[in-house]
């Protein structure tokens, strides 16, 4: 699979004290340099693209704390997915935890088009998975960047990538070993690694020793009378 990792910011990409987001290009270099061999071994045959083209501002690192995201930023995220849609088989979006559930709901509407009866006119045919972390993925040390051994970031990143291989064609949130429907996810803790849940709806999948689909059927994707999303305007 060709999996695109899109960076919007959030704790997973931060370093320092106080925490500050790394520029997307520097974060991409750190992931490639420090995690590249491990990700290659964990995802044999897959091609990962660390995209640094999404920018919310021309100033600073170009990413945002998720508490600062606005509806226009959700449109920018959807637009970036559409811009890269034809070249990739799945998308993993790195995101802050504070509003990840809001973005999951918004993207599920922006990346699927329905008619006035609620029937799909254009539907996702590829996974779009949001993930992040309660603690930064990397630490700044006197010797340079190093993997943060206490972070949940690596487990969430690799888990989201493994969940993407299930090819469930919908927007989802991956956190704490479970894949949740994006418009049903809810943040339930600011301190536990199992920070999200989907009340009254079991997970779409769980990732442990293996990645397994859950009891809830995934959305069907493009069906008769509808078509897969193209690179037209997001609405």
């Amino acid at each position: 699979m060709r999996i695109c990792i899109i960076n919007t910011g959030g704790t997973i990409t931060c370093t320092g004290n106080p925490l500050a987001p790394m520029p997307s290009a520097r974060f991409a270099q750190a992931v490639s340099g420090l995690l590249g061999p491990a990700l290659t071994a964990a995802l044999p045959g897959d091609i990962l693209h660390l995209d640094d083209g999404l920018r919310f501002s021309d100033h600073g690192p170009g990413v945002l704390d998720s508490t600062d995201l606005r509806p226009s930023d959700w449109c920018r995220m959807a637009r970036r997915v559409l811009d890269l849609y034809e070249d990739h088989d799945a998308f993993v979006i790195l995101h802050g935890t504070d509003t990840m559930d809001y973005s999951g709901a918004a993207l599920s509407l922006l990346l699927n088009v329905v008619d006035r009866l609620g029937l799909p006119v254009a539907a996702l045919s590829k996974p779009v998975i949001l993930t992040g972390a309660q603690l930064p993925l990397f630490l700044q040390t006197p010797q340079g960047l190093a993997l943060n051994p206490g972070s949940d970031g690596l487990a969430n990143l690799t888990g989201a990538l493994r969940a993407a291989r299930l090819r469930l064609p919908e927007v989802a949130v991956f956190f704490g070993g479970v894949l949740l429907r994006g418009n049903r996810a809810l943040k339930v803790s600011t301190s536990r690694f199992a920070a999200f849940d989907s009340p009254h709806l079991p997970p779409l999948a769980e990732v442990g020793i293996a990645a397994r689909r859950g009891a809830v059927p995934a959305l069907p994707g493009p069906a008769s009378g509808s078509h897969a999303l193209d690179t037209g305007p997001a609405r």
Side-chain angles (χ1 to χ4, degrees):
M1 290 183 69
R2 301 163 298 169
I3 305 176
C4 180
I5 301 173
I6 297 175
N7 182 10
T8 72
T11 298
I12 192 171
T13 71
C14 289
T15 59
N17 186 18
L19 289 177
M22 299 167 61
S24 291
R26 183 171 178 239
F27 181 80
Q29 291 173 354
V31 171
S32 297
L34 295 174
L35 301 179
L39 292 177
T40 298
L43 303 162
D46 288 354
I47 299 172
L48 300 183
H49 168 60
L50 288 147
D51 178 64
D52 60 6
L54 176 62
R55 298 186 65 83
F56 298 109
S57 170
D58 293 331
H59 308 287
V63 295
L64 282 178
D65 185 294
S66 69
T67 56
D68 295 325
L69 288 173
R70 301 180 179 184
S72 59
D73 298 317
W74 295 330
C75 294
R76 288 188 179 93
M77 293 161 60
R79 177 76 263 173
R80 192 60 183 164
V81 170
L82 293 178
D83 287 343
L84 301 170
Y85 199 77
E86 293 299 320
D87 296 326
H88 300 90
D89 301 308
F91 297 86
V92 170
I93 299 177
L94 302 181
H95 197 289
T97 62
D98 286 336
T99 61
M100 189 183 297
D101 44 0
Y102 290 84
S103 292
L107 289 176
S108 70
L109 298 174
L110 288 167
L111 294 173
N112 291 281
V113 182
V114 298
D115 62 19
R116 61 188 180 88
L117 298 177
L119 300 175
V121 176
L124 272 175
S125 58
K126 303 172 183 181
V128 176
I129 301 174
L130 291 90
T131 194
Q134 297 283 55
L135 294 172
L137 181 59
F138 299 115
L139 289 175
Q140 186 69 52
T141 73
Q143 293 74 37
L145 281 178
L147 184 66
N148 182 359
S151 173
D152 54 333
L154 181 58
N156 285 342
L157 174 58
T158 56
L161 292 169
R162 292 172 64 196
R165 302 177 95 191
L166 297 174
R167 297 180 183 268
L168 305 182
E170 58 178 290
V171 177
V173 168
F174 182 88
F175 221 92
V178 293
L179 186 71
L180 308 174
R181 179 157 289 155
N183 55 22
R184 296 293 294 273
L186 180 68
K187 187 173 182 181
V188 295
S189 177
T190 60
S191 58
R192 291 186 286 112
F193 285 154
F196 289 84
D197 195 6
S198 56
H200 312 300
L201 186 74
L204 298 173
E206 297 184 12
V207 176
I209 295 175
R212 299 181 294 107
R213 294 194 182 201
V216 176
L219 298 178
S224 176
S226 66
H227 57 83
L229 284 173
D230 56 28
T231 54
R235 5 178 204 177

